Amino acid sequence: MPGSVLKDVDDLSSADELEAAESLICCIPTWNTGADEDRSGTAWDQHIKDIPTMNFAGKTVAIVGLGDSASYGDFFCDAMEELYTAFVQSGANLVGKVPTDGYTFNESKSVVDGMFCGLPIDEDNESDLTAERLKSWITSIQVKF
Ligand SMILES: Cc1cc2nc3c(=O)[nH]c(=O)nc-3n(C[C@H](O)[C@H](O)[C@H](O)COP(=O)(O)O)c2cc1C
């Protein structure tokens, strides 16, 4: 992806900086277990409220989630779904859905129509799978960026 820039979401001045991008890969952790909103504990929680009022039509967006499938197996990577839904409401083209095969968890809000709405990464229990998961995901989405 030529011209890509890595940014810490907590360093963005506002969600307007997101709108300026041509396309986005957004990484979001899940905290605040079991709550209905504000699940990331990062600036994403505010941006998720702003993004649906913005226009991302024509922009491609993919989501990566960080979670812990052993300790929080009923809420695995829930925050991905909040971000996914916000971007859907903004008109963005969401790519990078992932089959649930190979993950061990009970429930996740981020399973949308039978697939994870982004790539779940579990560094707490399955860090040995991270490199391979990222590699095959990037391969699957790169033609869309
Ligand atoms: C207080 C707390 C609550 C958490 N809640 C969840 C949760 O609901 N779902 C989940 O998948 N992971 C949960 N996690 C695990 C984190 O998402 C996981 O450790 C993640 O990798 C953290 O990334 P970070 O340290 O970069 O924020 C929680 C962790 C803590 C400490």
Side-chain angles (χ1 to χ4, degrees), residues 68-74 125:
D68 175 342
S69 59
S71 303
Y72 302 96
D74 290 335
N125 310 286

Short mmCIF file of all heavy atoms in Angstrom, two decimals, residues 68-74 125:
data_model
loop_
_atom_site.label_atom_id
_atom_site.label_comp_id
_atom_site.label_asym_id
_atom_site.label_seq_id
_atom_site.Cartn_x
_atom_site.Cartn_y
_atom_site.Cartn_z
N ASP A 68 -8.86 -11.13 24.21
CA ASP A 68 -8.37 -12.27 25.00
C ASP A 68 -9.49 -13.31 25.01
O ASP A 68 -10.48 -13.15 25.73
CB ASP A 68 -8.02 -11.77 26.40
CG ASP A 68 -7.61 -12.88 27.36
OD1 ASP A 68 -7.89 -14.06 27.08
OD2 ASP A 68 -7.04 -12.54 28.41
N SER A 69 -9.35 -14.34 24.19
CA SER A 69 -10.44 -15.31 24.00
C SER A 69 -10.56 -16.28 25.18
O SER A 69 -11.58 -16.94 25.33
CB SER A 69 -10.23 -16.09 22.71
OG SER A 69 -8.99 -16.78 22.73
N ALA A 70 -9.55 -16.37 26.04
CA ALA A 70 -9.61 -17.28 27.18
C ALA A 70 -10.29 -16.61 28.38
O ALA A 70 -11.25 -17.14 28.95
CB ALA A 70 -8.20 -17.75 27.55
N SER A 71 -9.84 -15.42 28.74
CA SER A 71 -10.41 -14.74 29.91
C SER A 71 -11.74 -14.06 29.60
O SER A 71 -12.54 -13.82 30.50
CB SER A 71 -9.44 -13.69 30.43
OG SER A 71 -8.21 -14.27 30.75
N TYR A 72 -11.94 -13.68 28.34
CA TYR A 72 -13.15 -12.93 27.98
C TYR A 72 -13.85 -13.60 26.80
O TYR A 72 -14.27 -12.96 25.84
CB TYR A 72 -12.77 -11.47 27.62
CG TYR A 72 -12.05 -10.77 28.75
CD1 TYR A 72 -10.66 -10.71 28.79
CD2 TYR A 72 -12.76 -10.18 29.80
CE1 TYR A 72 -10.00 -10.08 29.84
CE2 TYR A 72 -12.11 -9.55 30.85
CZ TYR A 72 -10.73 -9.51 30.86
OH TYR A 72 -10.09 -8.88 31.90
N GLY A 73 -14.03 -14.93 26.91
CA GLY A 73 -14.57 -15.72 25.82
C GLY A 73 -16.03 -15.46 25.50
O GLY A 73 -16.52 -15.89 24.45
N ASP A 74 -16.75 -14.74 26.39
CA ASP A 74 -18.14 -14.37 26.08
C ASP A 74 -18.23 -13.00 25.42
O ASP A 74 -19.33 -12.56 25.07
CB ASP A 74 -18.99 -14.36 27.36
CG ASP A 74 -19.20 -15.77 27.90
OD1 ASP A 74 -19.13 -16.73 27.11
OD2 ASP A 74 -19.42 -15.90 29.12
N ASN A 125 -3.14 -15.27 24.36
CA ASN A 125 -3.18 -16.74 24.36
C ASN A 125 -2.67 -17.39 23.08
O ASN A 125 -2.27 -18.55 23.10
CB ASN A 125 -4.63 -17.22 24.56
CG ASN A 125 -5.29 -16.54 25.73
OD1 ASN A 125 -4.98 -16.85 26.87
ND2 ASN A 125 -6.17 -15.58 25.47
#
